[in-house]
Amino acid sequence: MAHVGFIQDKLEIKFLILYVASRLIEPVPFEAMQELTMCDEGIDFFDFSECLSALVSSGHLTVSEDGLYAITEKGLHNGTICESSLPYSVRLRADKNITIHNQKLKRRSQIKSEITPRANGTYTVTLAFNDDADESILKMELMVPGEVMAQDLAKRFRENAEQLYSGVLNALFEEPKA
């Protein structure tokens, strides 16, 4: 059967894994590494898994106790040397996927929520939307009567922090109603 895709062997899969790992802004779980690496029809799950494991064994990648993969100095060095051997179209696809993934990681790190129970049985929900330097752009503390409501507020804030920020600014700059 003819090989489909531009990636032809396990060595190229390893190069691609190193290429992806070197461009991520933070360590990622197995599933994210798989999703980002399998951007070519020439890669199957079993070859990917084997290559990822081999890169960990060889010291090119590390895997933390909580299952997050990160590139090592050795991986960065060797990956840089080999990345030009990857097909250009595969690198373009990988770059596009990595950019989208990094944007999601960055946004997730900018939005914080904390739920704290209070002595009277209510909850304080602390919501923060931070800039790149981890400085608050918007920070609120709200008291709510129940934990379910607190969790719902935190979830909605994570999903809509930018819109909430814009809404607060618009409300504050709106002309007072007579």
Side-chain angles (χ1 to χ4, degrees), residues 12-151:
E12 288 182 333
I13 296 172
K14 290 177 184 177
F15 292 164
L16 181 57
I17 292 170
L18 292 175
Y19 183 84
V20 168
S22 70
R23 285 158 175 76
L24 293 170
I25 61 173
E26 64 183 52
V28 296
F30 178 89
E31 296 78 16
M33 188 64 80
Q34 175 192 355
E35 181 182 327
L36 293 167
T37 302
M38 294 184 68
C39 62
D40 182 74
E41 289 80 28
I43 305 170
D44 71 32
F45 174 78
F46 298 106
D47 287 342
F48 162 77
S49 297
E50 187 179 318
C51 291
L52 186 66
S53 178
L55 288 169
V56 171
S57 296
S58 67
H60 289 85
L61 296 176
T62 61
V63 61
S64 66
E65 287 182 16
D66 50 347
L68 299 178
Y69 290 85
I71 195 159
T72 63
E73 287 298 320
K74 178 181 178 180
L76 279 172
H77 176 72
N78 292 344
T80 302
I81 293 168
C82 301
E83 71 184 33
S84 64
S85 65
L86 287 170
Y88 182 68
S89 62
V90 173
R91 282 185 280 154
L92 283 178
R93 251 182 273 144
D95 285 339
K96 179 183 171 208
N97 295 341
I98 293 163
T99 300
I100 292 167
H101 189 78
N102 280 340
Q103 287 171 341
K104 289 177 185 175
L105 291 174
K106 185 176 178 182
R107 183 184 185 279
R108 189 184 72 209
S109 72
Q110 291 175 319
I111 298 171
K112 313 248 190 261
S113 61
E114 182 181 334
I115 300 170
T116 309
R118 298 166 55 122
N120 65 0
T122 62
Y123 292 83
T124 299
V125 184
T126 305
L127 307 168
F129 181 29
N130 299 330
D131 62 12
D132 294 341
D134 209 27
E135 298 289 328
S136 291
I137 295 172
L138 173 69
K139 185 173 182 178
M140 298 184 292
E141 286 188 354
L142 304 168
M143 192 271 303
V144 295
E147 186 176 12
V148 171
M149 184 181 268
Q151 290 171 348

